[in-house]
């Protein structure tokens, strides 16, 4: 059992970093960046190569920062 004790407060602090992501998934998947509230924040360039989906996760690539990505068909 977990209990949220505080939502925190603004501004949120997010370190700038980049990570090359490689996932073994079925072809035809798309990657979309999400805003901190979970709403869409644009498509992320991704390629499918050698049976893997490849993209770069970059926390500073979009205004407001990106910590979450949605991978879908």
């Amino acid at each position: 059992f977990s209990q949220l004790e505080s939502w925190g407060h603004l501004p949120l602090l997010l370190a700038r970093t980049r990570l090359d992501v490689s996932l073994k998934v079925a072809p035809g998947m798309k990657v979309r960046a999400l805003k901190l509230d979970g709403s869409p924040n644009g498509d992320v360039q991704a390629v499918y190569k050698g049976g893997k989906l490849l993209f770069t996760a970059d926390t500073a690539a979009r205004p407001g920062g990106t910590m979450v990505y949605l991978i879908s068909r």
Side-chain angles (χ1 to χ4, degrees):
F1 169 69
S2 296
Q3 180 177 344
L4 177 66
E5 294 184 12
S6 171
W7 285 102
H9 58 279
L10 296 174
L12 298 176
L13 301 179
L14 179 60
R16 290 181 181 212
T17 190
R18 293 173 52 122
L19 174 71
D20 292 326
V21 178
S22 172
L23 299 171
K24 192 172 185 180
V25 295
M29 303 300 265
K30 296 179 184 177
V31 181
R32 176 171 270 186
L34 300 179
K35 294 179 184 178
L36 298 177
D37 66 1
S39 63
N41 197 13
D43 294 332
V44 175
Q45 183 178 359
V47 296
Y48 191 79
K49 184 176 178 182
K52 295 179 181 177
L53 180 70
L54 309 171
F55 69 97
T56 299
D58 184 348
T59 62
R62 304 198 186 275
T66 300
M67 293 190 291
V68 181
Y69 294 85
L70 174 66
I71 300 169
S72 63
R73 290 191 189 271

